[in-house]
Amino acid sequence: MSPVTAIPACPPAIARAHFRRRLELETDCADVAAALGAGPPDFVLLHAVGSAAAFRRRHIPGAVHLPHHLITAERLAAWPAATLFVVYCAGPHCNGADRAALRLAELGRPVKLMLGVLTGWADEGLAFAGDLDSTSDLDSTSDLAFPREDQSGGDHS
């Protein structure tokens, strides 16, 4: 018996429920890229960490910059209540997307975490938006990207 089979696999019905639940909470870089490439997204992609300057320097195309500590009911009022937010952060060393997802859920908003984050996006060979040559990193949040009032759950950058 190998370490793989030492503990038997659970019944398929339990596995189905488990993996469905994970997919209700998570998405990945490839699925986000495919959705963004297919036309206006049916979610808001939220870059949930970092300074405004770091966001300007490198982010996923179509993302809105709203660090997790700035997520409030007042800021979220710019989007309809049913808007799905897909959150991501800088990399495996960062839990900012988890913090953003928790905050969104606490505020009663639908949310999924994008696995892979910026590191995964790069590993997939997907293009970034921003001024990739910039080296400044001002710690300012005054120029956060928010949706215009005439937009709903799509691309708000």
Side-chain angles (χ1 to χ4, degrees), residues 83-119:
T83 300
L84 172 64
F85 290 89
V86 174
V87 296
Y88 73 93
C89 58
H93 59 279
C94 178
N95 68 2
D98 294 291
R99 291 175 183 272
L102 175 59
R103 184 72 184 132
L104 287 160
E106 289 173 341
L107 291 168
R109 295 307 195 108
V111 62
K112 286 190 176 192
L113 180 75
M114 185 183 81
L115 300 175
V117 298
L118 287 178
T119 303

Side-chain angles (χ1 to χ4, degrees), residues 45-65:
L45 183 60
L46 204 62
H47 184 103
V49 296
S51 68
F55 176 78
R56 280 192 306 274
R57 192 169 51 251
R58 186 176 87 149
H59 60 273
I60 295 172
V64 173
H65 183 232

